[in-house]
Amino acid sequence: MIAYLSGLFVVTFLPRLSLVWLFVLLLPLSWYHRLRRLILYFFAGVLVASIYGAWQLQHRLPAALDRTDSVFTGIVADLPENNEQRTRFILSVEAGESVDPALQRLRRIRVNQYHLQDEQAKPIAAGDKLTLLLKLHTPHFMQNPDAFDLELHFLRSGWDASATLLEVIEHQPGHNKFQSVREHFRTYLKREFAASDAHWLLPAILLGDRSAMTDEHWLILQRTGTAHLLVVSGLHIAVMTGVGLLSGRVFTSLMLLAGIRHSYLRTLPLLLALIMATGYAALAGFNLPVQRAWLMVCVFLAGEWRLLQFSGWMRWRIALIAIVTLQPLAVIQPGAWMSFAAVALLLFLSDCHRSRHKEWLGQLFRAQWFIFIGMLPVMAVVFQQLGLAAPVINIFTVPIFSLFIMLLPAFLLGVFLEWTWVIEVLVLFIDGFWLLLQHLSQIPGGYHALVKPSVVVVLLLVPLLISLLAPLPWRWKWTALLLFIPLIWPPSDKPSTGDFRAIVFDAGQGLAVLIETQEHLLMYDTGPGYYGGGSAWSYAVEPWFKARNIDYLDHLVVSHNDLDHAGGLSALKTRLEIRRLESGSPIQQQNFLSCHQHQSWEYDGVSFRYLTDMPPVTTNENDHSCVLEVRNADCALFLPGDIRVTTEYDLIRSKRLEPVTWLVAAHHGSSSSSSIAFIDSLLPKAVIYAAGFNNRYNHPVAEVTERFRRRGIEAYNTAEMGAITLDAKAGQCRESVQRQQKRRYWTSG
């Protein structure tokens, strides 16, 4: 099994699937009898993962067809996500008008409908059949340090493109009856429980619809370690399976008491368990985590069905192999390993304590202890937290919530029959349960935020976990606790005195640059905001701060008040404490000071200075931009904001410009900036364009890129390369790009 999993695993780290052929070099090892089986299993894993990856990529919309307009007919395959600005849904394609083979291969498209003009349009619901005019986009998304890999998410979800809805040509409501039932069920729940927390909680645990859950909800669930309760997961499927088994055994007992005997009675509980698990999984949308839980249940039930003499561990291994074969990318999904690790820990607990401590309360405490300890690495990597209170909280909440799930069908029957007392009991339980979690999330010391651990730190935790879970004397366990130190107090990777590191984030058509010295953080611009609401900050920049458990900024510079530079300001101020604020635009109402005063200062041996004079009030907003230079003994970074040619010439005449190492091109590479004289005054070794992929302005424009190319200046573009990291160390100035550092076979571009 390990050899097979290794074959699946190594393919996920290939930068290109064509490199799979290199593994042929291992074939001669199969001549050795002892290695033959391992090599064959390894190649089986490589083959399965490669076929899966090639099949998925074959359907992906090519970059050459990005921003293509085309008409498609299909079914809304899941519950749409709705907010005031946008409706997002998955269109399962049935037909397309284009004869282009690449467009005909599209299977599922994630569509965004923006509510800007047509307020009279009929709402789009799950199960509707639609004929739409779409502007297609290839799955090429922002790539930043520690950020969510949306390109991977599209690949494993089978979404071949994203799109903007331009026109609804035909709309047939309720074409897919099952999906329509789910949509009506959600609408009913939200209407019936509008005044209670049940309006978002019931759709989450019944339908897998988390669109109404806010950041505050997720924060409470993470701090209490109870996210698995309110998101459809293995626990819910397992409880429903248990309900089916219990119901079947009760019914079988009644049949036997009535004198009815048949060989098929033995399979009735298993059949009811499968029906309950399948029905609940289908109602919850059968997404990837639910599919994994359902497959695991099927494997465990199959052993009972055929009276196979399989141990719990054997069934666990079969379920694991089945799932990673059908979903090869599950080998790198934390959710999959969390599910299997939890089951494995419970099996291990059963083996270690089979003949003693049979009291149920002791087993319950021990189970929570095993899961808490065993899940430490996963929780540290995925959530960057150590929930000290989570085991105690789960001891009480898991049984209570499991009982609630078991009784939920009866509750819902009472709701549909409009029994007032049932609705009141349901509301009382849900509101009380959520209020309890809110209070538990505020327990002093119950939650400890962590820096995202490195692979080395996670590997160091393995001996700790073994010693804490194994039946060893406590003196050995206390010694192993020393391995906690790198997790709680990780080694620092901050620049040395006199050095700095800058990250030009891939924020789309906007700018966000973070400059880090040994003890200070300066942010230059906040990334773009969107006219429909929201910004790129939360998914482009914020993950960097979260992974390092940083909640402050020493210095924020908003170059000017345009949406593509200041759009993330509101989200940033919600997340971070800011100690010094400056801007080139008059936004004094937010306590910003002006940067047009030739200030210069030093952070940890690194020099910073502004270069512009106060512009006239009537000046174009772009020319209000703060122009910032960052310099140490060997390297220099120049940030001009969106200044135009007139301001460039003012800077040249002021004789304040000096040669630099890196220049972030003004105005994303627009023709209104980056004049020849300006380039020749700075003489950069590299230019960085902060632009959006296939943006409508065609930034950077050809004439600007040509100016830099003729001078032999190396060019970097966030749209093509992802975030650009600049390391200014003693004696060396180095650049690295995100799409090359973290390149995988599914990475676009």
Side-chain angles (χ1 to χ4, degrees), residues 60-263:
R60 174 185 277 181
L61 179 71
L65 295 178
D66 189 70
R67 300 182 66 83
T68 298
D69 293 353
S70 188
V71 175
F72 291 91
T73 298
I75 305 294
V76 180
D78 205 347
L79 297 172
E81 300 175 15
N82 300 298
N83 58 38
E84 294 180 357
Q85 293 84 28
R86 181 199 65 208
T87 294
R88 173 178 288 167
F89 59 92
I90 305 301
L91 184 73
S92 181
V93 177
E94 293 185 340
E97 289 190 359
S98 175
V99 295
D100 191 311
L103 296 182
Q104 291 180 341
R105 286 195 297 266
L106 298 182
R107 300 165 299 178
R108 304 181 102 200
I109 304 171
R110 191 178 77 168
V111 182
N112 291 308
Q113 178 190 29
Y114 294 98
H115 311 310
L116 297 178
Q117 297 176 346
D118 192 1
E119 297 181 356
Q120 303 300 319
K122 187 186 301 182
I124 291 175
D128 291 357
K129 184 173 183 178
L130 305 170
T131 300
L132 308 173
L133 174 61
L134 303 175
K135 181 176 289 296
L136 298 171
H137 304 285
T138 189
H140 180 110
F141 302 106
M142 302 174 192
Q143 291 283 329
N144 290 288
D146 305 297
F148 181 71
D149 190 344
L150 193 54
E151 292 174 10
L152 169 61
H153 182 61
F154 263 64
L155 188 84
R156 69 170 186 256
S157 300
W159 303 342
D160 303 319
S162 61
T164 301
L165 176 57
L166 301 179
E167 181 185 353
V168 178
I169 299 173
E170 186 177 354
H171 187 170
Q172 301 178 32
H175 189 270
N176 183 301
K177 299 304 180 185
F178 178 72
Q179 291 293 349
S180 295
V181 168
R182 294 183 70 225
E183 181 70 60
H184 290 307
F185 194 15
R186 178 173 71 167
T187 303
Y188 175 82
L189 291 175
K190 289 187 174 183
R191 182 181 67 248
E192 195 71 24
F193 298 97
S196 165
D197 284 310
H199 85 277
W200 64 265
L201 192 148
L202 283 177
I205 62 175
L206 284 170
L207 304 171
D209 174 37
R210 303 190 292 270
S211 59
M213 295 180 66
T214 65
D215 291 341
E216 181 182 355
H217 293 149
W218 285 113
L219 183 62
I220 292 171
L221 293 175
Q222 288 179 17
R223 288 187 172 181
T224 55
T226 54
H228 62 289
L229 297 181
L230 304 190
V231 176
V232 178
S233 63
L235 173 67
H236 302 71
I237 303 296
V239 169
M240 283 300 175
T241 304
V243 170
L245 284 171
L246 181 61
S247 302
R249 285 171 181 169
V250 169
F251 186 74
T252 300
S253 299
L254 293 176
M255 297 275 284
L256 292 174
L257 289 174
I260 301 174
R261 287 173 172 78
H262 196 282
S263 59

Side-chain angles (χ1 to χ4, degrees), residues 406-703:
M406 293 176 66
L407 297 175
L408 198 51
F411 277 127
L412 292 177
L413 179 62
V415 170
F416 292 142
L417 295 176
E418 297 185 351
W419 293 347
T420 305
W421 68 271
V422 173
I423 296 175
E424 290 176 352
V425 169
L426 190 58
V427 168
L428 182 64
F429 172 81
I430 290 176
D431 287 351
F433 188 80
W434 184 248
L435 183 63
L436 174 64
L437 291 184
Q438 286 178 307
H439 287 299
L440 292 175
S441 69
Q442 299 171 7
I443 295 176
Y447 165 87
H448 180 71
L450 299 173
V451 174
K452 187 175 183 178
S454 64
V455 175
V456 174
V457 172
V458 172
L459 292 177
L460 282 175
L461 286 175
V462 174
L464 168 66
L465 302 183
I466 294 174
S467 65
L468 289 177
L469 296 178
L472 296 174
W474 267 102
R475 61 179 178 274
W476 296 106
K477 297 178 187 287
W478 287 116
T479 305
L481 288 176
L482 294 174
L483 296 174
F484 258 123
I485 294 176
L487 180 66
I488 300 176
W489 294 287
S492 173
D493 64 344
K494 293 182 178 180
S496 303
T497 301
D499 299 342
F500 71 88
R501 181 186 300 124
I503 303 174
V504 183
F505 287 96
D506 180 10
Q509 188 63 18
L511 183 64
V513 182
L514 179 68
I515 301 162
E516 182 183 15
T517 65
Q518 188 176 47
E519 299 294 339
H520 292 83
L521 290 172
L522 181 146
M523 192 86 207
Y524 183 94
D525 285 338
T526 64
Y530 306 123
Y531 290 107
S535 70
W537 167 267
S538 60
Y539 48 83
V541 185
E542 185 178 342
W544 187 93
F545 287 87
K546 182 179 179 182
R548 288 154 185 79
N549 193 23
I550 295 174
D551 58 2
Y552 70 91
L553 266 180
D554 295 286
H555 201 152
L556 173 62
V557 179
V558 175
S559 64
H560 62 299
N561 202 21
D562 279 352
L563 192 63
D564 55 342
H565 293 256
L569 179 58
S570 177
L572 182 153
K573 294 178 75 173
T574 301
R575 172 68 175 81
L576 304 176
E577 175 191 349
I578 309 168
R579 297 166 184 173
R580 179 177 173 183
L581 303 96
E582 290 171 340
S583 178
S585 297
I587 47 178
Q588 289 87 355
Q589 68 272 17
Q590 298 188 44
N591 300 317
F592 278 83
L593 302 176
S594 174
C595 65
H596 299 299
Q597 296 176 4
H598 296 184
Q599 300 132 300
S600 61
W601 67 96
E602 188 175 288
Y603 285 148
D604 309 311
V606 179
S607 299
F608 295 75
R609 66 167 179 151
Y610 292 126
L611 301 178
T612 52
D613 299 314
M614 181 69 73
V617 177
T618 56
T619 303
N620 182 283
E621 180 65 29
N622 287 336
D623 287 317
H624 280 269
S625 296
C626 298
V627 177
L628 177 64
E629 179 193 81
V630 185
R631 187 180 294 273
N632 69 359
D634 300 285
C635 317
L637 169 65
F638 198 87
L639 298 165
D642 277 358
I643 62 172
R644 298 182 302 168
V645 172
T646 53
T647 303
E648 292 179 355
Y649 280 119
D650 288 342
L651 287 170
I652 294 169
R653 286 190 291 268
S654 71
K655 301 188 183 302
R656 297 170 191 152
L657 299 182
E658 299 176 16
V660 299
T661 313
W662 302 297
L663 167 65
V664 175
H667 205 179
H668 321 289
S670 164
S671 59
S672 63
S673 309
S674 301
S675 62
I676 293 174
F678 186 64
I679 297 172
D680 291 340
S681 297
L682 289 173
L683 296 173
K685 295 181 180 178
V687 61
I688 300 163
Y689 303 107
F693 179 73
N694 271 4
N695 63 85
R696 57 186 175 134
Y697 308 103
N698 293 319
H699 291 162
V701 297
E703 62 183 282

